[in-house]
Amino acid sequence: MDYFIQRSNLDKFVRMQASSILASPISAIKGLGPKRAVIIERELSIRTVYELLFFIPNRYIDKRALTPISSITLENSIVQTQGILQNIKLVKQAKGYRLSAELIDNNHRLELVWFKGHQYIEKQLKEGQSYKVYGKVSRFQDRFSMAHPELSQISIQSEQDFRGHIEPLYPIPEKLQKDGITQRLLRSILQPIVKSIDFKLYETLPAYIVKEQLLIDKTSALVHLHAPTQMQETQRALDRLKFEELFYMQLGLLYRKIQQKTAIKGQRFEAVGTPFLTFYESHLPFELTGAQKRVLREIRNDMGSGLQMNRLLQGDVGSGKTMVALMACLIAIGNESQACIVAPTEILAQQHYQDIASKLATLKISVKLLTGSTPKKERTVLHEELRSGALHILIGTHAVFEDMVTFKNLGLAIIDEQHRFGVAQRSKLWKKAEVPPHILVMTATPIPRTLAMSTYGDLDISIIDELPPGRTPIITSHRTDRSRLKVFGFIREQIKLGRQVYIVYPLIQESAALDYKDLMDGYESLCREFPSPEYALSILHGQMSAEAKQYEMNQFENGTTQIMVATTVIEVGVNVPNATVMIIESAERFGLAQLHQLRGRVGRGAHQSYCILMTKDNLSEDARTRIQSMVKYRSGFDLSEIDLRLRGPGDLMGTQQSGSLQLKFADLVDDVALMSTIRALVQALLEKDETLALQEHQCVRSTLQMLMRGKLLWSYIS
Ligand code: ADP
Ligand code: MG
């Protein structure tokens, strides 16, 4: 969703403000002047007084304390002190001038020095007058001095003004400071505004929430930010604005979700149907885990509700998402609909196809595969069967999105590994049915909770947080080249036990040529290390044809080869339960999510499995954290939180989705708990008052209306 408000709407919003001065253009502010107003508008996109209020200080200096010169003892401390000015001296030096003066207080002295701007400063200095100075203290032998202090003369009549205060510092770009948009200027125009009696902002949070959550009201928050009298006030103010920011983010998402649900009809699947029941009762190869059952119930409820399902299914590698997908398809089929599953790679699509087709072999359900390499003749037949409804489940790559592909009645679309498909592609599937199909998006790359609540906040989320029973946790270790021989020895042992091994090389776009060389060199030396006929190796990489890839995969799957040397093509979905060792070369070059995905290729059978991360000796700090985290944590959810800390939300989600992540006050890493609280609160609010009709929610309603229309960041709302 677009969180921006159009200018015209902002105007309306501003007009809602009780005080009319807030709606006036900044050029009307006394003391700013038209020239500087133009600069501020152009460079900071601040047009009205109201917008100016949201130009929030990023730091404060506490100028309340006054340290007598006699008490200055620490070098480098920042102090404010006062005294009488004496001994002004200007000395010519090799380069320029050195201006100095002494500040004297009860026979204690502090030297003040300037190396620049002496003409300007000298004019301000008057011997025998009292001054207050503020700055960093340095020490030469036993004498203290302060270079380029902030300086103000204390006159009897203005003593009041200098009683000491907390001074806000605004994030003014240097360039603007040169144009006269200085800290002093901003302070001088903002202070009178926030201190004026008719300064009152439209309160955007319901009174009962402000009260229950112990928040301060909005007007106080802004007063405190621009003119605090206590340091804690600024924190309370930020807390309030942060709350509001998250409140409207969640409200926007959840409100939209409700609207979508009421606006878009969904196919109602009355019963789970015969195929599901038959499969469940007599073809299920294993007992479902508690989490699988729970998630299936959630899906079942969605599909029976008459509303369109839009659900994100998160489950760690190996948690058994495919079985959930399969059974969801059976519900669709049992309700005279078709289903399709889209995977991001050909290998993955193949794998799903084989997995699902074999499980359904004895049921009268037709499953077919459609990928880029499906021959034309087969394709024509397939298209025909889809249109007639003879084909029940279509599994494929993005070839499925093509316009040629039309269904008789598509009831369920499942997208595996969501992060590889964009939203636009997702919506293409919608158009393939009169009433949009139910959508289930599956991902094995767990999304940190705050991101799930923001980026995917308008989807329902199901989580499989339990692995099938009988899995022994994978042992992960970190090795360098020095242990390579031992690692090879270990591989031999495992192969002797009948197991199989993956060895993965990085393949990064920017260095693809070199990476391919590494892969090939690696493969050759491995061939020497593990010679035939005792050993057989497979190789798999992106430059091979689809048939060659498939051939090598088959060789490995049926156990003809024991070692699979590969790039990350095998990252997603490959399932060979007999493989127990995953060796990742140059592991420091992989991201956490990828490492975790790769590790998930082993540990799929009953045997103890291992993941060995090979790296060079010297690692960057981030790389070390990644490797150590891999050794320490098993759960993809834990790793995703670490990843978020290391990389930040923008990087993690890609630019495409970062729009909704531009928060001004809240932090997606640190505010997990707060975001959950607020989401629950908003949920409760909407449950009670879905249309925001209650009197107490009128402020929410009007604020949300502004927000939903258009083009302005949160920051002006909160
Ligand atoms: P992922 O969530 O990574 O897609 P899969 O669906 O590929 O995981 O499942 C991983 C393996 O676990 C498969 O071999 C699958 O057959 C098996 N599996 C799934 N659910 C169960 C279960 N409830 N009990 C035992 N094995 C299961
Ligand atoms: Mg899977």
Side-chain angles (χ1 to χ4, degrees):
M1 159 165 142
D2 198 0
Y3 296 110
F4 297 80
I5 305 191
Q6 262 139 24
R7 280 292 187 192
S8 59
N9 286 321
L10 178 68
D11 289 342
K12 228 189 284 168
F13 193 75
V14 170
R15 265 182 267 123
M16 279 162 34
Q17 307 296 330
S19 140
S20 64
I21 176 194
L22 296 174
S24 36
I26 48 172
S27 54
I29 300 175
K30 242 175 69 191
L32 182 60
K35 251 204 213 131
R36 289 188 294 202
V38 167
I39 297 173
I40 291 181
E41 179 169 352
R42 192 183 59 218
E43 301 292 328
L44 301 173
S45 309
I46 292 171
R47 245 181 7 143
T48 58
V49 176
Y50 181 76
E51 290 175 1
L52 185 64
L53 280 176
F54 287 89
F55 191 57
I56 305 255
N58 55 352
R59 273 194 315 125
Y60 295 88
I61 21 185
D62 191 344
K63 289 194 171 171
R64 286 166 307 167
L66 202 60
T67 315
I69 296 180
S70 57
S71 310
I72 297 177
T73 49
L74 278 177
E75 210 171 348
N76 288 330
S77 56
I78 291 175
V79 298
Q80 178 169 248
T81 188
Q82 63 183 6
I84 295 175
L85 201 72
Q86 300 286 2
N87 270 331
I88 304 172
K89 266 191 240 161
L90 186 64
V91 181
K92 184 153 177 32
Q93 293 190 308
K95 276 187 203 156
Y97 288 86
R98 178 184 195 272
L99 174 66
S100 69
E102 279 180 335
L103 199 65
I104 299 175
D105 172 28
N106 280 331
N107 283 331
H108 295 278
R109 282 154 209 275
L110 176 71
E111 189 184 34
L112 308 176
V113 282
W114 293 265
F115 303 98
K116 279 192 297 202
H118 67 91
Q119 291 110 325
Y120 170 71
I121 294 154
E122 206 178 352
K123 271 186 236 151
Q124 299 179 36
L125 303 180
K126 294 194 185 76
E127 286 202 15
Q129 297 286 330
S130 290
Y131 286 85
K132 187 178 231 174
V133 299
Y134 178 90
K136 195 185 204 171
V137 174
S138 42
R139 176 183 197 148
F140 180 69
Q141 290 166 352
D142 60 348
R143 291 175 50 128
F144 287 102
S145 67
M146 192 183 273
H148 293 265
E150 250 182 61
L151 180 95
S152 43
Q153 191 178 346
I154 312 172
S155 54
I156 312 298
Q157 59 272 47
S158 65
E159 184 71 39
Q160 279 245 325
D161 298 345
F162 292 102
R163 221 172 20 204
H165 55 285
I166 297 172
E167 202 167 83
L169 285 179
Y170 294 90
I172 310 170
E174 191 138 352
K175 185 173 138 212
L176 295 200
Q177 304 212 19
K178 287 199 181 117
D179 288 336
I181 318 292
T182 58
Q183 297 291 349
R184 187 184 291 246
L185 174 77
L186 277 185
R187 282 199 291 267
S188 72
I189 57 177
L190 272 158
Q191 298 290 321
I193 297 174
V194 293
K195 286 178 180 161
S196 75
I197 320 161
D198 69 342
F199 172 73
K200 187 109 186 79
L201 291 177
Y202 184 73
E203 178 55 64
T204 41
L205 288 177
Y208 72 93
I209 289 184
V210 173
K211 191 160 163 240
E212 279 166 19
Q213 300 296 317
L214 307 174
L215 299 168
I216 55 173
D217 67 274
K218 184 159 188 163
T219 306
S220 308
L222 281 143
V223 173
H224 288 344
L225 285 171
H226 292 291
T229 54
Q230 300 290 327
M231 275 301 192
Q232 304 93 290
E233 284 177 355
T234 63
Q235 197 48 55
R236 296 257 291 142
L238 289 173
D239 286 348
R240 146 77 208 215
L241 296 182
K242 183 197 282 190
F243 188 98
E244 184 168 345
E245 180 171 64
L246 292 175
F247 179 89
Y248 277 99
M249 170 202 235
Q250 289 304 323
L251 186 76
L253 289 162
L254 293 171
Y255 188 78
R256 190 171 90 131
K257 190 159 113 184
I258 292 178
Q259 281 196 319
Q260 218 171 49
K261 286 224 158 125
T262 30
I264 300 167
K265 263 198 303 169
Q267 310 184 23
R268 188 192 294 278
F269 295 160
E270 299 286 351
V272 288
T274 322
F276 183 95
L277 289 174
T278 315
F279 184 80
Y280 191 78
E281 274 149 27
S282 43
H283 297 270
L284 205 58
F286 36 67
E287 170 87 12
L288 296 179
T289 63
Q292 282 171 319
K293 283 184 195 162
R294 187 190 64 233
V295 166
L296 265 171
R297 255 195 314 273
E298 289 165 352
I299 292 172
R300 161 76 198 109
N301 285 343
D302 283 0
M303 288 175 144
S305 71
L307 306 173
Q308 188 205 21
M309 171 168 77
N310 253 302
R311 191 168 278 282
L312 175 68
L313 173 56
Q314 293 197 63
D316 221 329
V317 220
S319 60
K321 291 185 293 296
T322 316
M323 183 49 77
V324 171
L326 163 62
M327 296 186 71
C329 290
L330 293 179
I331 298 178
I333 296 163
N335 287 272
E336 271 78 57
S337 287
Q338 294 160 294
C340 79
I341 301 178
V342 190
T345 66
E346 182 136 2
I347 292 188
L348 194 53
Q350 295 256 11
Q351 194 110 44
H352 277 320
Y353 172 71
Q354 276 154 12
D355 194 3
I356 288 175
S358 73
K359 291 204 166 81
L360 295 180
T362 48
L363 291 161
K364 284 203 194 74
I365 288 172
S366 114
V367 188
K368 281 199 172 165
L369 178 70
L370 173 66
T371 70
S373 49
T374 307
K376 182 133 192 287
K377 231 162 87 194
E378 243 173 76
R379 222 177 248 246
T380 318
V381 177
L382 192 145
H383 287 165
E384 188 40 51
E385 288 179 358
L386 275 180
R387 271 193 294 272
S388 74
L391 181 54
H392 300 115
I393 302 180
L394 176 67
I395 296 174
T397 55
H398 37 262
V400 171
F401 294 124
E402 279 164 22
D403 292 336
M404 283 295 294
V405 181
T406 53
F407 293 80
K408 176 160 184 254
N409 182 13
L410 180 62
L412 170 67
I414 298 177
I415 301 175
D416 199 7
E417 306 301 342
Q418 142 79 7
H419 57 298
R420 301 188 174 213
F421 293 111
V423 178
Q425 278 174 312
R426 234 202 287 165
S427 70
K428 271 197 164 181
L429 281 172
W430 284 44
K431 299 191 185 111
K432 293 194 185 289
E434 224 162 278
V435 180
H438 296 293
I439 305 273
L440 181 67
V441 170
M442 304 199 294
T443 173
T445 309
I447 301 158
R449 275 189 299 153
T450 44
L451 292 189
M453 283 186 280
S454 45
T455 320
Y456 295 104
D458 56 341
L459 297 180
D460 290 303
I461 295 178
S462 288
I463 295 178
I464 308 190
D465 49 6
E466 179 186 355
L467 292 180
R471 301 261 168 91
T472 0
I474 300 164
I475 296 172
T476 304
S477 50
H478 174 204
R479 296 282 178 271
T480 59
D481 257 336
R482 269 171 286 150
S483 327
R484 189 165 288 281
L485 289 182
K486 274 199 195 143
V487 172
F488 286 156
F490 180 69
I491 295 177
R492 283 194 197 91
E493 266 170 43
Q494 287 288 310
I495 293 176
K496 203 178 271 167
L497 290 171
R499 303 288 87 78
Q500 288 164 286
V501 178
Y502 293 105
I503 303 179
V504 176
Y505 284 80
L507 179 58
I508 318 279
Q509 211 70 44
E510 295 85 67
S511 53
L514 268 179
D515 285 346
Y516 270 118
K517 186 171 176 305
D518 281 353
L519 170 75
M520 287 313 180
D521 291 351
Y523 177 66
E524 273 165 32
S525 73
L526 285 163
C527 286
R528 285 193 297 275
E529 197 68 40
F530 299 92
S532 65
E534 201 182 344
Y535 300 97
L537 282 73
S538 272
I539 183 162
L540 196 69
H541 59 75
Q543 292 186 338
M544 294 161 57
S545 69
E547 298 94 75
K549 275 191 233 170
Q550 193 52 51
Y551 175 80
E552 292 291 344
M553 261 327 287
N554 289 343
Q555 293 284 95
F556 190 65
E557 260 167 289
N558 64 31
T560 312
T561 55
Q562 299 100 32
I563 300 178
M564 166 65 83
V565 182
T567 59
T568 42
V569 253
I570 63 148
E571 180 189 334
V572 234
V574 168
N575 188 20
V576 180
N578 190 46
T580 54
V581 184
M582 166 59 69
I583 294 176
I584 304 175
E585 294 288 345
S586 304
E588 71 274 13
R589 294 180 59 199
F590 290 88
L592 262 183
Q594 242 184 343
L595 289 172
H596 181 61
Q597 279 290 327
L598 287 169
R599 176 166 63 183
R601 298 309 105 209
V602 295
R604 309 192 137 233
H607 306 286
Q608 174 65 55
S609 289
Y610 306 86
C611 175
I612 303 176
L613 307 169
M614 301 293 299
T615 71
K616 58 182 186 185
D617 277 308
N618 291 326
L619 297 180
S620 71
E621 201 174 309
D622 275 8
R624 184 162 298 279
T625 308
R626 287 199 298 273
I627 302 289
Q628 283 170 349
S629 304
M630 281 296 294
V631 173
K632 183 164 169 204
Y633 295 105
R634 276 182 226 137
S635 140
F637 285 95
D638 289 337
L639 292 169
S640 76
E641 302 285 345
I642 295 169
D643 214 15
L644 177 63
R645 275 177 198 283
L646 289 177
R647 292 161 63 200
D651 226 34
L652 210 62
M653 302 309 292
T655 43
Q656 181 201 4
Q657 278 144 331
S658 60
S660 55
L661 303 177
Q662 286 174 18
L663 297 173
K664 185 162 171 173
F665 300 103
D667 183 306
L668 289 171
V669 176
D670 293 328
D671 292 324
V672 185
L674 183 62
M675 201 193 272
S676 304
T677 310
I678 291 175
R679 187 172 172 90
L681 199 107
V682 170
Q683 242 150 4
L685 185 154
L686 287 172
E687 245 157 59
K688 180 167 136 199
D689 184 17
E690 191 176 290
T691 54
L692 300 175
L694 291 179
Q695 186 52 38
E696 65 202 29
H697 293 150
Q698 286 321 293
C699 60
V700 179
R701 186 193 173 90
S702 42
T703 309
L704 184 67
Q705 271 173 358
M706 301 298 163
L707 259 173
M708 306 270 280
R709 272 180 223 151
K711 185 206 145 8
L712 178 84
L713 272 177
W714 293 113
S715 43
Y716 290 109
I717 298 311
S718 54

